[in-house]
Amino acid sequence: MSNMETHPDELVQAGTHLSERGVEILTSREVPLGGPRAMTVRRTLPQRARTLIGAWCFADHYGPDDVDQTGGMRVAPHPHIGLQTVSWLFSGEIEHRDSLGVHALIRPGELNLMTGGFGISHSEVSTQRTTRLHGMQLWIALPEAHRHAASNFQHHVPGVVPLDGGTARVFLGSLAGDTSPVPTFTPLLGAELSIEPDTTVHLTVDEEFEHGVIVDTGDVRINGTPLATAELGYVASGLRTLSLTNASPQPARVVLLGGPPFQEEIVMWWNFIGRTHQDIVQARDEWQNGSDRFGRVEGYDGDPLPAPTLPNATIAPRRNPAS
């Protein structure tokens, strides 16, 4: 998904605070994705307090939206460099088309991972069968050694893994004895968790990973710290166990992200991730001039998105603040 009129360099200004239990709570900010019937998303990454969790650098959470009221999703062809996109749905269906010639349907509980290293373009449109659209769009920053990787698209349907007190769908990495077969350029964890009512789930995790939990539904606590819907609870590396409690009488749903701290500085602007301001300028110019770098999206009825105007100032690289 394109972030449209709001750029990742316009960092989330929502509140952030540290709980007594060492959990950093990042609140989301509502962002309209353009047009008179704008689809609104809740964005928790990036923001000033935290740019990345592992290599996860962007997190939008949307819905459940009644598409008769919102118009659903209609994102015209747009470019990406230096990143991977993860589309993860809870309900609805999205038609994906990209410059590799891939035409795929994104459905709930199915991973769609697109690599836009050196350059790719794609469109995303909710289908006519969709009545309620609900899900997440996530980005992964590619490390320097692989940020010009060949474009790629991968689809995977993870199985449901039983937990003591819930279930998991592990779409990237390993958790609870299950491992996704989808390779990544840095170690990562991505999973949807369902937690039974009035239950605590204890997860054994990689102590070299930092973790983030984004709440979709339920009265959720991470290591005893309460999180509201659409908030992200961050836990630094060094822990071997995460405890997730659902204090509500209904099942809770969260998305768990993780990875070792990403040590590289990145430059983020619009749909691009580079290392310098010039990387961004060059990618923008090539997109605007119809360069072969991004290919063509066939089958979309409409024009591609034009790139926004660059800021007057040099776009500065950033990384997470020092601990």
Side-chain angles (χ1 to χ4, degrees):
M1 181 193 303
S2 165
N3 46 310
M4 303 283 281
E5 295 175 352
T6 300
H7 311 156
D9 60 301
E10 296 172 2
L11 298 182
V12 173
Q13 302 298 318
T16 305
H17 67 275
L18 190 67
S19 78
E20 294 178 358
R21 297 174 176 86
V23 177
E24 185 179 313
I25 301 173
L26 288 73
T27 58
S28 62
R29 170 167 79 98
E30 289 193 348
V31 179
L33 294 185
R37 301 173 70 190
M39 176 182 169
T40 299
V41 302
R42 299 173 292 276
R43 183 164 298 165
T44 48
L45 284 179
Q47 54 178 285
R48 292 192 187 281
R50 186 147 307 279
T51 301
L52 306 106
I53 296 175
W56 298 100
C57 62
F58 187 86
D60 275 356
H61 176 212
Y62 54 89
D65 291 336
D66 181 346
V67 300
D68 285 340
Q69 300 298 317
T70 65
M73 181 185 296
R74 184 174 177 84
V75 184
H78 58 279
H80 289 290
I81 65 166
L83 59 85
Q84 294 176 295
T85 65
V86 170
S87 300
W88 187 257
L89 285 178
F90 305 130
S91 66
E93 185 180 67
I94 296 172
E95 183 180 45
H96 163 100
R97 297 178 184 270
D98 66 37
S99 53
L100 295 173
V102 174
H103 179 206
L105 292 176
I106 301 171
R107 297 187 175 101
E110 301 182 2
L111 171 71
N112 291 272
L113 177 70
M114 186 183 74
T115 301
F118 181 67
I120 197 170
S121 58
H122 72 137
S123 64
E124 293 162 296
V125 179
S126 51
T127 66
Q128 292 184 345
R129 289 185 292 272
T130 299
T131 57
R132 293 177 73 81
L133 189 61
H134 188 191
M136 297 197 69
Q137 181 74 16
L138 307 163
W139 290 1
I140 302 164
L142 293 176
E144 175 63 30
H146 301 287
R147 70 184 180 96
H148 295 308
S151 301
N152 193 14
F153 182 88
Q154 296 176 81
H155 174 82
H156 170 58
V157 183
V160 178
V161 180
L163 305 173
D164 186 7
T167 59
R169 295 178 187 268
V170 183
F171 51 86
L172 288 176
S174 298
L175 184 73
D178 189 53
T179 298
S180 168
V182 179
T184 57
F185 292 97
T186 58
L188 288 173
L189 171 61
E192 177 190 315
L193 307 179
S194 177
I195 308 170
E196 295 171 4
D198 300 311
T199 300
T200 297
V201 171
H202 301 285
L203 300 170
T204 300
V205 294
D206 191 327
E207 62 182 331
E208 295 185 1
F209 282 23
E210 52 189 3
H211 292 89
V213 172
I214 301 174
V215 178
D216 180 55
T217 60
D219 181 0
V220 175
R221 297 180 174 116
I222 175 172
N223 291 354
T225 297
L227 297 174
T229 299
E231 285 187 335
L232 186 155
Y234 167 81
V235 179
S237 56
L239 295 182
R240 295 186 178 182
T241 303
L242 287 180
S243 297
L244 297 175
T245 299
N246 175 20
S248 67
Q250 303 295 327
R253 180 165 53 204
V254 304
V255 171
L256 173 62
L257 306 176
F262 194 81
Q263 302 296 341
E264 301 175 22
E265 290 187 336
I266 60 174
V267 175
M268 297 180 69
W269 182 84
W270 197 38
N271 302 306
F272 303 142
I273 296 183
R275 294 300 183 274
T276 67
H277 177 86
Q278 187 54 40
D279 289 340
I280 304 301
V281 171
Q282 180 178 345
R284 182 191 182 278
D285 286 347
E286 289 181 298
W287 173 250
Q288 290 295 91
N289 293 324
S291 166
D292 290 339
R293 175 177 185 175
F294 298 105
R296 302 288 183 276
V297 176
E298 302 294 339
Y300 177 84
D301 183 18
D303 295 327
L305 284 177
T309 302
L310 282 163
N312 291 327
T314 298
I315 305 169
R318 63 180 185 266
R319 63 193 305 169
N320 285 335
S323 301

